[in-house]
Amino acid sequence: MAMSSGRSNQEIVPYSGDLEVPVQPVDVQRQDSLYLDATRPAHGGHHAGRDSWLRTLRLGFQCVGILYADLGTSPLYVYSNTFKYGIGHEDDVLGVLSLIIYSFLLFALIKIIFIALYANDDGEGGTFALYSLISRYARVALIPNQQAEDELVSSSSRHRKPSAPFRRAQWMKNLLEASKPAKLTLFFLTIFATALAISDSILTPSISVLSAVNGLKLRSPNLTTDQVVWITVGILVAFFAVQHLGTVKIGYTFAPIVVIWLLLISGIGIYDLIKYDVGTLKAFNPKYIIDYFRRNKKKGWVSLGEILLCFTGTEALYADLGYFSIKSIQLSFSFGLLPSVLLSYIGQAAYLRKHMDMQYVPNAFFNSIPSTLFWPTFVLALTTSVIGSQAMVSCAFATMSHLQTLSCFPRVKILHTSSRYSGHLYIPEVNFFLCVASVIVTISFRTTGFIAKAHGKKMHGRFFFPFTYCFKSQHKHIISILNYVYLCTEICVALVMVITTLLMTIVMLLVWKVNILWIALFFAVFMSTETIYLSAVLYKFTQGPYFPLAMSAVLMVIMMVWHYVHVKRYKYELQHTVSPDEVKTLLERHDLKRVPGLGLFYTELVQGIPPIFPHLIEKIPTVHSVIVFISVKHLPIPHVDVSERFLFRQVEPKESMVFRCVARYGYRDTLEAANDFVATLVEYLQYYVRDLSLYCTAEPLRTSYPSIRIDSFSWDKKHSGHGSGIHAEEMLTPIQSFSELTMHQVGMSSRLGIFQPAKMNLEEMLRIEEDQKLIQREVDNGVVYILGETEVVAKPHSNLIKKIAVNYIFNFLRKNSRKGEKMFSIPRGKLLKVCIAYEI
């Protein structure tokens, strides 16, 4: 995305001190230094560091409360659903148990926990993170997403003899970059999986809470359907109302409940295994799977759609990686969730082998527990079922954050709820949308009859969820609701599984560059098995699980339209970025009037001057005496010290007093009030003016400030033998006093050849002081905040679909998304909006 302007001839490697030094020359395009430095903190390190065991255990405990309630409650309904037509043969129980064991181990443990978690984009997981990762290694994103570090690695690797994995990666890269259909297909699959995940985030709270509330009928059998629905609505509102507390507080609150639940079901499983049939352990022999399909044929294949429910929630677990760490999830899953859930399945299977009558099957879990533990188990089941929604809600927050990264969704406010963990997110707009959508879904299911029509005679009066054994005939409508929503969930899970495998295969080829045999094994095993599961789920598509696909279609339209217009606007602005010569010509126009005051021109473009600036001068040839183009950049660290916040560049000619500036914030930093922001900016702008003159000499100087990363600067070939230089206009703003600079240089000059500040005469010092006073005087004359507002319209001869997408859908979304003046707290009395229309 950065614009290139020249060539650099040296590769940068880490140095033991604060600076970085050059080594062997490589052919690397020079990047815009302001753009690169805007994307990283001054000292370059990541805030997280290496995980300590205490931190890992703390995160592992939170994992239990956030991620595992959904997976932990699956033993309540998998058998009931799989055998809803009855158990035909005693060994069918062993066949289904064997399928559950190996499906859970294969898809949850091996694929997600020990493979997919490592395919993350800077700690973020999920299908959109996979797409973002791929787009950094191959130009498949419609907006470039490569990082400077990726370019350096790619450039240096060209000087080595390519290995077979590297050649395959290059082949895959060329294939993806050269084929526009491949790019569009990759993007389509990604946003489809993302839309399915968000749709599932709407369905899961509704189904979890609704089914849990129905369990109250054991104590209050007179509860009506309307009362159940409105109690569900109340709990949903309360559930979403506490989301602003953040992952840490919610995790610590929910985790003890889920831990007790997992210990309880594992204990019950051991009890059932010993009491009823220890021989159930034979299910670890996969031959029972073959026997099961041989006996049941088509019915066995269709039942895979219900067995799939044993690992629903793994896709949310992967997407929620950013909230935790790989090690914490692996430990808590392997030693907490996995043994508990498998023991529960084994115990129920032992019970069912001795109780094959249909009267025992729908309530297998509760029938199998000791009578003295019934009520504690029931209360915990209710509570844990409600908590099971948390993983999908957190998944929605993480997914929306990914969408913002590649500009695939209108701007929303993202809050980071923890200063320790960058992935702990809360998005008010998304939380409100999920709450309203879940409530609407719950209420609309109560008042519409399309669900019963979709199921027709396929309904048998009982549902497979934990509490439905207490249902009576008058509650068949709620049973239809629950059946319908679970069919929707199966569709979402199966499709996301297949798309994840496709993207993972590309990552293995392109990014990891692993042995081709491992890639072939991964693809063959997972694609073949997941396709079989998907076919079983799609077979039931005629029963009416249209809601997730309809919801996904709406979300995909929003994402595609927003991304399409954003790409077109980005390319337009990049092509029309004002060059330095054009800026100089504009500022030296004879009819251009300079009015008193400071003009702060907000722009998203970091690389240069946006095209809206000449548009302003053309329409109104008047600008302020001092102009600062400001781009606000948020970095993936919790805080940026105010001394490192502002980066400046001066625009030629220097007498025009026009500057480019990037204001960098951490994700826990809040934007200051307008007056405080201006006061701080002006203070550091005056430092920059002073230091620009101090270090501006005929020869390029090399400086040594802690806030400098030399690798992003322009290196001069003629100095490569004895210390290269950087030009003054490429310097970052030093914040130390003159004496601090001198002390720092004394310690470094002997080994790095750092020059002292240039000697200046009295006239030059007075000029610096006059420039600083000029800036302060113009601030006193008044500050005007200039905000560019772009209106994008389709060209007159565009087709109808494009006109609808751009002129109506996009503009509707833009007008109803967050506005810049609200984000920057700009006072309305000092706001000047400059509008420009782009025809695409």
Side-chain angles (χ1 to χ4, degrees):
M1 214 161 103
M3 296 174 61
S4 61
S5 56
R7 290 279 181 181
S8 172
N9 68 310
Q10 296 187 346
E11 183 184 5
I12 307 303
V13 296
Y15 183 71
S16 58
D18 290 333
L19 299 180
E20 296 180 346
V21 296
V23 290
Q24 63 185 26
V26 294
D27 186 20
V28 181
Q29 277 196 334
R30 176 183 176 270
Q31 307 289 334
D32 184 290
S33 59
L34 181 61
Y35 172 74
L36 289 182
D37 291 315
T39 63
R40 54 192 172 198
H43 297 284
H46 195 272
H47 69 285
R50 294 183 64 86
D51 288 347
S52 65
W53 277 106
L54 181 62
R55 180 178 185 270
T56 299
L57 292 175
R58 186 187 299 120
L59 287 174
F61 184 70
Q62 295 176 29
C63 283
V64 177
I66 300 295
L67 302 180
Y68 299 151
D70 191 12
L71 286 164
T73 53
S74 60
L76 295 170
Y77 50 80
V78 172
Y79 281 123
S80 304
N81 187 35
T82 304
F83 293 121
K84 58 180 173 287
Y85 301 111
I87 301 174
H89 190 279
E90 182 182 10
D91 284 348
D92 283 353
V93 178
L94 293 180
V96 169
L97 174 60
S98 189
L99 277 168
I100 290 172
I101 291 173
Y102 287 106
S103 297
F104 199 83
L105 292 176
L106 185 65
F107 300 118
L109 184 68
I110 297 176
K111 178 185 173 182
I112 299 297
I113 301 301
F114 285 107
I115 298 180
L117 290 185
Y118 290 102
N120 60 80
D121 184 36
D122 291 331
E124 299 292 338
T127 51
F128 212 89
L130 285 174
Y131 177 76
S132 179
L133 179 62
I134 292 169
S135 67
R136 288 205 289 113
Y137 284 80
R139 291 179 176 86
V140 295
L142 302 180
I143 291 182
N145 191 41
Q146 289 78 20
Q147 296 179 359
E149 292 79 1
D150 302 328
E151 293 294 334
L152 288 174
V153 171
S154 176
S155 299
S156 62
S157 62
R158 287 197 294 264
H159 295 263
R160 297 190 299 265
K161 183 179 180 180
S163 61
F166 180 82
R167 289 195 299 270
R168 282 191 294 270
Q170 192 64 38
W171 171 81
M172 175 59 69
K173 181 176 185 292
N174 295 337
L175 178 65
L176 293 174
E177 291 180 348
S179 174
K180 189 171 183 179
K183 293 180 182 180
L184 295 176
T185 301
L186 200 61
F187 179 71
F188 176 83
L189 290 175
T190 302
I191 63 171
F192 183 42
T194 302
L196 286 170
I198 297 175
S199 300
D200 205 8
S201 301
I202 297 172
L203 292 169
T204 299
S206 298
I207 183 66
S208 299
V209 178
L210 183 61
S211 58
V213 170
N214 269 281
L216 296 176
K217 291 177 182 176
L218 281 176
R219 297 299 302 268
S220 303
N222 294 326
L223 276 176
T224 64
T225 299
D226 286 350
Q227 290 171 332
V228 167
V229 168
W230 288 112
I231 292 173
T232 299
V233 169
I235 294 176
L236 284 172
V237 172
F239 174 77
F240 286 103
V242 301
Q243 294 300 316
H244 73 279
L245 297 176
T247 307
V248 174
K249 293 180 180 178
I250 294 175
Y252 280 133
T253 302
F254 290 168
I257 300 172
V258 181
V259 167
I260 295 173
W261 168 254
L262 294 178
L263 291 174
L264 181 62
I265 62 174
S266 59
I268 293 173
I270 295 172
Y271 169 83
D272 290 339
L273 178 64
I274 296 174
K275 179 178 179 181
Y276 295 110
D277 188 3
V278 178
T280 305
L281 294 174
K282 293 185 296 184
F284 281 95
N285 186 346
K287 99 173 187 58
Y288 288 98
I289 297 177
I290 300 173
D291 295 340
Y292 175 73
F293 286 123
R294 185 183 294 120
R295 281 190 303 271
N296 294 278
K297 297 181 175 59
K298 182 180 176 180
K299 286 176 57 180
W301 165 65
V302 174
S303 69
L304 290 175
E306 282 72 40
I307 294 172
L308 175 146
L309 294 171
C310 73
F311 52 87
T312 55
T314 53
E315 73 285 357
L317 184 152
Y318 179 35
D320 290 339
L321 172 61
Y323 290 87
F324 307 103
S325 67
I326 296 175
K327 190 182 297 183
S328 65
I329 294 177
Q330 288 177 338
L331 286 174
S332 58
F333 188 96
S334 302
F335 298 101
L337 179 74
L338 179 65
S340 300
V341 170
L342 290 186
L343 283 171
S344 181
Y345 282 123
I346 293 170
Q348 284 187 68
Y351 172 82
L352 288 174
R353 277 173 60 82
K354 301 299 181 183
H355 302 81
M356 293 175 55
D357 293 344
M358 191 58 194
Q359 59 178 327
Y360 300 107
V361 174
N363 318 313
F365 179 83
F366 284 100
N367 286 336
S368 66
I369 64 177
S371 58
T372 54
L373 292 178
F374 176 82
W375 283 112
T377 305
F378 179 75
V379 173
L380 275 174
L382 283 171
T383 310
T384 310
S385 296
V386 175
I387 296 173
S389 306
Q390 184 61 50
M392 290 308 304
V393 174
S394 299
C395 171
F397 294 155
T399 300
M400 193 58 62
S401 175
H402 301 160
L403 291 173
Q404 299 284 296
T405 302
L406 288 184
S407 303
C408 290
F409 206 81
R411 183 185 296 162
V412 294
K413 184 177 182 180
I414 300 177
L415 301 177
H416 292 259
T417 58
S418 172
S419 58
R420 289 185 177 182
Y421 313 120
S422 62
H424 289 195
L425 308 173
Y426 169 69
I427 305 178
E429 291 98 328
V430 174
N431 189 64
F432 179 78
F433 168 75
L434 292 178
C435 180
V436 172
S438 297
V439 168
I440 291 175
V441 165
T442 305
I443 295 176
S444 63
F445 281 168
R446 176 183 66 92
T447 57
T448 56
F450 74 93
I451 301 172
K453 293 178 182 177
H455 289 281
K457 296 183 179 180
K458 296 182 184 293
M459 293 303 303
H460 288 265
R462 289 179 179 268
F463 179 63
F464 44 88
F465 207 74
F467 315 111
T468 55
Y469 64 92
C470 60
F471 291 173
K472 298 181 181 179
S473 58
Q474 61 265 36
H475 303 300
K476 287 184 179 180
H477 188 69
I478 294 253
I479 300 172
S480 299
I481 295 175
L482 298 174
N483 265 320
Y484 178 83
V485 179
Y486 254 100
L487 286 172
C488 297
T489 301
E490 292 171 11
I491 286 282
C492 293
V493 172
L495 289 171
V496 172
M497 282 169 51
V498 174
I499 294 173
T500 301
T501 297
L502 288 171
L503 296 180
M504 280 287 302
T505 305
I506 297 176
V507 168
M508 288 181 171
L509 281 166
L510 182 66
V511 182
W512 291 354
K513 304 178 180 68
V514 298
N515 190 292
I516 190 63
L517 295 178
W518 289 112
I519 299 175
L521 180 65
F522 174 86
F523 185 81
V525 170
F526 288 102
M527 185 53 66
S528 60
T529 52
E530 290 171 358
T531 303
I532 295 173
Y533 274 94
L534 178 62
S535 64
V537 172
L538 293 178
Y539 175 77
K540 299 187 293 182
F541 184 72
T542 54
Q543 297 182 20
Y546 308 125
F547 176 81
L549 298 182
M551 187 68 195
S552 298
V554 173
L555 291 171
M556 286 178 66
V557 168
I558 294 174
M559 287 187 271
M560 287 190 293
V561 169
W562 188 267
H563 191 64
Y564 171 78
V565 177
H566 187 85
V567 168
K568 291 294 185 181
R569 186 179 67 179
Y570 168 82
K571 290 181 177 179
Y572 180 92
E573 291 182 343
L574 205 59
Q575 292 170 358
H576 294 81
T577 300
V578 187
S579 68
D581 291 338
E582 291 175 328
V583 174
K584 187 175 181 180
T585 302
L586 285 171
L587 295 174
E588 291 178 346
R589 283 177 50 171
H590 296 293
D591 60 339
L592 181 65
K593 298 180 181 179
R594 305 300 292 264
V595 296
L598 169 65
L600 299 183
F601 206 118
Y602 286 86
T603 174
E604 294 181 1
L605 200 64
V606 180
Q607 292 95 320
I609 305 299
I612 200 170
F613 180 62
H615 172 76
L616 172 64
I617 293 180
E618 180 184 348
K619 301 301 180 184
I620 308 175
T622 304
V623 294
H624 294 84
S625 297
V626 178
I627 298 176
V628 182
F629 291 92
I630 298 177
S631 298
V632 177
K633 189 77 175 178
H634 290 273
L635 305 183
I637 59 173
H639 297 287
V640 174
D641 190 80
V642 67
S643 63
E644 300 175 346
R645 176 150 297 156
F646 297 102
L647 309 178
F648 292 96
R649 300 288 184 274
Q650 186 162 16
V651 178
E652 297 288 346
K654 295 182 180 179
E655 297 77 15
S656 63
M657 299 300 285
V658 177
F659 304 88
R660 292 164 55 202
C661 171
V662 174
R664 303 181 298 177
Y665 290 84
Y667 57 75
R668 292 285 287 171
D669 293 327
T670 55
L671 294 175
E672 305 94 330
N675 293 336
D676 297 334
F677 176 80
V678 171
T680 308
L681 180 140
V682 169
E683 177 185 356
Y684 286 94
L685 178 58
Q686 290 176 331
Y687 289 156
Y688 174 76
V689 170
R690 178 200 67 186
D691 296 328
L692 185 63
S693 299
L694 277 174
Y695 292 91
C696 184
T697 63
E699 293 295 327
L701 297 180
R702 185 169 180 184
T703 55
S704 176
Y705 307 130
S707 62
I708 289 180
R709 286 180 58 91
I710 302 298
D711 59 311
S712 65
F713 297 153
S714 177
W715 293 85
D716 195 343
K717 290 184 179 180
K718 67 181 180 180
H719 294 280
S720 62
H722 55 276
S724 301
I726 59 168
H727 296 281
E729 67 268 20
E730 292 185 311
M731 290 166 47
L732 299 189
T733 305
I735 53 85
Q736 296 92 333
S737 66
F738 182 83
S739 60
E740 290 173 322
L741 289 174
T742 304
M743 291 173 60
H744 185 74
Q745 289 172 339
V746 169
M748 299 288 292
S749 60
S750 60
R751 63 177 180 178
L752 293 178
I754 298 170
F755 294 89
Q756 299 292 335
K759 293 182 179 179
M760 307 184 69
N761 56 35
L762 181 61
E763 182 180 349
E764 290 171 330
M765 295 178 67
L766 290 175
R767 183 176 56 80
I768 295 173
E769 185 178 0
E770 181 60 31
D771 287 344
Q772 291 177 329
K773 287 182 178 179
L774 171 64
I775 293 173
Q776 187 59 51
R777 184 167 58 249
E778 298 305 333
V779 173
D780 296 337
N781 287 332
V783 179
V784 176
Y785 303 85
I786 306 170
L787 195 64
E789 190 167 284
T790 305
E791 182 178 354
V792 183
V793 295
K795 291 182 179 180
H797 301 294
S798 301
N799 59 57
L800 180 61
I801 296 177
K802 185 175 180 179
K803 288 182 178 179
I804 293 174
V806 177
N807 297 348
Y808 297 98
I809 299 177
F810 174 79
N811 283 306
F812 172 80
L813 295 172
R814 182 181 61 85
K815 291 176 183 178
N816 290 277
S817 60
R818 291 181 64 82
K819 301 295 189 297
E821 61 267 28
K822 291 184 179 179
M823 293 187 65
F824 303 132
S825 303
I826 297 175
R828 289 185 175 274
K830 298 182 179 181
L831 174 63
L832 173 62
K833 286 189 176 182
V834 181
C835 298
I836 185 172
Y838 297 160
E839 286 189 351
I840 62 173

